[in-house]
Amino acid sequence: MIIQEKTACCVKDLGLMDYEQVYVQQKQYVDRLLNGSVQALLLCEHPAVLTLGRMTNESNIFVDEKGLMKRGIGVHHVDRGGDVTLHAPGQLVIYPILNLAYFGRDIHNYLRQLEQVAIDLLESFDIVADRIFGRTGVWIGKKKIASIGIGVRKWVSFHGLAVNVNMDLSLFSIIKPCGLDIEMTSLSEIKQETISMEEVKRRTIKCFFRNFYLEEASD
Amino acid sequence: MKNVILPELGEGIEKALVACWHVNVGERVAGDDDLVELVTDKATFNVSADVSGIIREICVGKGQEVSIGEVLAVIEPLNL
């Protein structure tokens, strides 16, 4: 039996923060980890913003730049995999800055582990969620509740996982999320009640630490 | 000469696309410099030089597909 030791990870709750600011923080935590510091789990919500991953087909955005500006929605081309996605208040976004060398240097496996974090989180709310083969993310029936897109540099991860908690799902109508003809759902839509973001964060941290066999460390 | 190859990325991942090169032919690089960003369906992956030297050849262009183990670039090692 192989007994893997727990590895250290700090937790940083950034609250509601602009996409660019969090991106800068991610890069700082990646550099810090490459220089021997601990791993990090960043949690936040973003003001409404579209992020365009490296596989984005721009025809999956149905509103032009002017229309997005009018709605106060920013746009960023980002160095993650995947197509276009939307972030907005009421959606929990987690950015794990992990040394994937501890977890087998396997991007496929890392994506499945991130899905498992969301599946476990939803299970804690008595919601049965699952994977769909070939469609990274977490699903409730045919509706998507969590999206994933990552970047890896020197086997350190960045970007991550977005879970729809209490967000305004009508915002997704301006894009084809992840380039797919799908409907999105949220925790509050499923439960038919407002869900405490703080509680979701608390449970997410717990599920994340359990799945990746981590121990909490100071920043 | 040192060949920079696309390493194993994980179970079932056999190919990736070149998203962008961070360096040009003739450029000096340090061992930990990122050379190229590759992209799979849901992930980007940066490959670093591993040795210090001069980029002598870039073997695959932006938008091209590469397989695991394929040569991405050739570096002439130097003691920088």
Side-chain angles (χ1 to χ4, degrees):
Chain A
M1 182 179 166
I2 298 166
I3 300 171
Q4 186 202 338
E5 276 184 34
K6 284 189 176 181
T7 58
C9 180
C10 68
V11 176
K12 192 97 177 157
D13 184 352
L14 302 172
L16 179 67
M17 191 181 270
D18 279 336
Y19 186 84
E20 288 155 293
Q21 279 177 277
V22 178
Y23 183 74
V24 169
Q25 293 227 15
Q26 284 194 72
K27 291 291 177 178
Q28 287 169 347
Y29 276 97
V30 169
D31 287 339
R32 284 175 51 173
L33 180 53
L34 288 169
N35 286 309
S37 187
V38 294
Q39 302 172 110
L41 174 65
L42 312 182
L43 301 101
C44 64
E45 294 171 73
H46 293 302
V49 64
L50 292 185
T51 64
L52 283 53
R54 294 291 195 220
M55 302 297 260
T56 297
N57 175 348
E58 296 206 7
S59 68
N60 292 330
I61 305 166
F62 306 136
V63 178
D64 63 14
E65 216 169 306
K66 231 176 174 177
L68 291 170
M69 269 174 70
K70 208 172 155 188
R71 289 172 164 87
I73 299 174
V75 180
H76 294 282
H77 290 266
V78 294
D79 52 353
R80 61 160 172 77
D83 205 298
V84 60
T85 196
L86 178 134
H87 302 299
Q91 181 194 61
L92 174 63
V93 189
I94 66 166
Y95 296 111
I97 313 298
L98 295 182
N99 182 355
L100 299 185
Y102 294 147
F103 308 100
R105 295 178 198 261
D106 186 324
I107 288 172
H108 172 83
N109 187 43
Y110 176 59
L111 293 169
R112 303 291 81 77
Q113 280 184 281
L114 280 184
E115 288 170 343
Q116 194 60 48
V117 171
I119 290 169
D120 292 352
L121 165 72
L122 293 161
E123 192 183 14
S124 79
F125 285 94
D126 299 319
I127 296 171
V128 178
D130 208 350
R131 300 180 175 87
I132 295 180
F133 180 75
R135 289 188 164 187
T136 298
V138 176
W139 307 75
I140 295 172
K142 288 181 178 168
K143 292 186 177 182
K144 195 174 195 185
I145 192 163
S147 303
I148 295 173
I150 64 159
V152 178
R153 186 174 159 240
K154 296 180 172 62
W155 287 109
V156 170
S157 66
F158 54 102
H159 295 296
L161 165 74
V163 183
N164 304 331
V165 180
N166 291 314
M167 70 187 296
D168 174 6
L169 293 171
S170 71
L171 287 168
F172 281 107
S173 64
I174 63 170
I175 58 166
K176 192 189 267 194
C178 306
L180 301 170
D181 283 311
I182 50 166
E183 269 186 73
M184 304 296 276
T185 189
S186 66
L187 249 163
S188 61
E189 185 182 66
I190 303 284
K191 298 298 281 184
Q192 289 292 298
E193 61 179 327
T194 304
I195 307 291
S196 154
M197 181 60 86
E198 290 313 306
E199 182 60 20
V200 172
K201 283 179 182 172
R202 199 184 61 76
R203 295 189 194 192
T204 300
I205 294 165
K206 194 175 165 191
C207 295
F208 182 81
F209 270 64
R210 196 171 52 211
N211 267 290
F212 286 97
Y213 203 51
L214 299 165
E215 63 186 358
E216 193 163 348
S218 54
D219 189 359
Chain B
M1 292 291 171
K2 143 103 177 159
N3 289 339
V4 180
I5 62 158
L6 178 60
E8 293 277 350
L9 299 178
E11 187 191 327
I13 303 174
E14 288 162 9
K15 291 175 190 297
L17 283 177
V18 175
C20 59
W21 281 93
H22 304 304
V23 294
N24 296 302
V25 171
E27 209 170 296
R28 279 192 172 209
V29 291
D32 64 352
D33 284 351
D34 289 329
L35 299 183
V36 59
E37 183 190 292
L38 297 140
V39 60
T40 67
D41 179 27
K42 288 289 181 180
T44 59
F45 184 87
N46 280 280
V47 176
S48 50
D50 281 344
V51 292
S52 299
I54 295 174
I55 303 288
R56 288 300 178 204
E57 198 181 334
I58 284 177
C59 309
V60 279
K62 183 178 172 178
Q64 268 186 274
E65 197 173 62
V66 281
S67 301
I68 304 303
E70 204 173 319
V71 178
L72 301 168
V74 179
I75 298 178
E76 181 185 346
L78 289 175
N79 290 322
L80 293 180

